[in-house]
Amino acid sequence: MRTLSNIVGAAFAATLLLGPAACGWKSDGQARLDGLYHPDNGPKDAVADLGTDVVVPDSPDGFAADVVPADEGGFDLSPGDVPATGLAGLWAVRIVQLGEISPISDAYPITTPDYFLARVEPGAGQMSLTFCDEIPVVDTGDSGLAFVTSTTPALRDALGKVPVVVTLADSGASLPAQKIVWTWGLQNLAEADPLPTSGTDAKVFDQDQDGNPGDTVLVEGLASGKRYMVKRAVWNLAAGTLSGDGTRLSGTLTYTLDEEPLGADPTMLDQKTPITPKDGSTYLLRRVGDLSCATLLQHVDEVFAP
């Protein structure tokens, strides 16, 4: 039998996901996105959807101010005339990593989707992915574990300024198998190097420029506060398959994910919570006409519908 201390401890530890997360209170990633980014929701509505246990801080960078970004772009899923060859155009990107997280003793399924926008120029040999958000979802199977962690606008902006570069082949007509290394709050770190464990390490930098080491994520719910961390994700992408109409590019991937906490407020959030990758991770790109990050996140079910 799980004791109350086990349950509370698991809740505290599970909030410490690798980067921003939504955990426990909903196991469906689309429902999570609807709660955060639904176009009919304002910030107060989105917070209300999380339940009465969520405490909204009064600070300017608190959760309520960060829930719903402004929709600054249009919503046009039609890519217009698709070129006969090549991947030129604007693409909405979703990279989904499946895994298992073990906060204390129990292992829970975790799904980590990363969302990007990518534009490819005609004949280009690469596409640059601009970060929109990362919203992992943990299925604890326990309604008592109610908590949410999230990115701040400063973190989303900082990560968006460093594109994730994907190599293309055949004069930009295909996406070959490749390895991509993506880091948060790190600099001059080789892929094989261990992650630094101190915020004063020269390989750590204040990427979101908030005065704390590494990158800061907000934690709300049973344990509320801020967590400072660095992260390295390594994606091994299989070659992509382009649909017959040229609007979808999809494939599978394997990955590794390393994260190191560098402090927290309160200190109980300063814990490591490893994730074990599982089979079944995928990526999907949808060629679109006009889309902003905010609109992508508000309409993600339509953008990536089968």
Side-chain angles (χ1 to χ4, degrees):
M1 177 181 295
R2 301 177 67 195
T3 65
L4 178 59
S5 60
N6 291 146
I7 294 173
V8 174
F12 286 160
T15 57
L16 311 184
L17 299 179
L18 305 186
C23 325
W25 63 279
K26 283 184 179 177
S27 61
D28 181 85
Q30 180 55 53
R32 164 65 169 149
L33 281 164
D34 286 345
L36 287 180
Y37 295 109
H38 191 282
D40 295 332
N41 284 354
K44 293 182 180 179
D45 294 330
V47 172
D49 287 344
L50 303 181
T52 56
D53 291 336
V54 176
V55 178
V56 180
D58 295 328
S59 59
D61 59 348
F63 181 74
D66 297 339
V67 173
V68 181
D71 183 352
E72 299 176 350
F75 179 44
D76 181 8
L77 291 182
S78 174
D81 294 332
V82 176
T85 60
L87 302 177
L90 180 66
W91 297 81
V93 181
R94 180 179 65 190
I95 298 176
V96 178
Q97 301 129 94
L98 303 183
E100 197 170 71
I101 188 170
S102 302
I104 296 183
S105 58
D106 297 332
Y108 303 123
I110 178 172
T111 301
T112 306
D114 287 287
Y115 297 95
F116 302 85
L117 289 176
R119 183 172 293 280
V120 181
E121 299 299 329
Q126 66 182 36
M127 65 166 56
S128 295
L129 277 58
T130 299
F131 178 75
C132 293
D133 210 347
E134 179 182 277
I135 308 176
V137 177
V138 174
D139 184 4
T140 67
D142 188 338
S143 60
L145 301 184
F147 40 81
V148 173
T149 66
S150 61
T151 55
T152 65
L155 177 54
R156 292 192 294 270
D157 182 63
L159 291 172
K161 290 178 179 177
V162 185
V164 178
V165 177
V166 177
T167 300
L168 302 179
D170 307 320
S171 299
S174 65
L175 192 159
Q178 61 193 280
K179 177 187 290 185
I180 296 173
V181 180
W182 185 35
T183 61
W184 292 27
L186 293 165
Q187 58 188 356
N188 303 319
L189 185 80
E191 179 186 341
D193 288 347
L195 294 190
T197 58
S198 169
T200 60
D201 192 297
K203 293 183 173 63
V204 175
F205 77 109
D206 180 11
Q207 186 172 10
D208 51 11
Q209 299 182 13
D210 67 350
N212 298 303
D215 289 332
T216 299
V217 295
L218 302 178
V219 182
E220 299 296 329
L222 294 176
S224 297
K226 298 180 181 180
R227 183 169 183 257
Y228 321 126
M229 47 77 74
V230 290
K231 182 174 79 168
R232 175 176 54 205
V234 179
W235 297 330
N236 291 286
L237 305 182
T241 299
L242 188 64
S243 63
D245 63 1
T247 62
R248 293 172 183 271
L249 182 64
S250 60
T252 61
L253 72 139
T254 60
Y255 73 96
T256 60
L257 200 56
D258 299 312
E259 182 263 3
E260 188 68 38
L262 300 175
D265 181 16
T267 56
M268 70 176 65
L269 299 178
D270 187 18
Q271 301 181 43
K272 297 183 69 170
T273 309
I275 289 178
T276 302
K278 295 297 182 182
D279 294 338
S281 298
T282 60
Y283 66 87
L284 174 61
L285 288 72
R286 164 76 182 271
R287 201 188 312 240
V288 296
D290 183 22
L291 212 61
S292 66
C293 273
T295 310
L296 165 61
L297 294 168
Q298 289 174 354
H299 299 278
V300 69
D301 53 338
E302 298 164 78
V303 173
F304 297 107

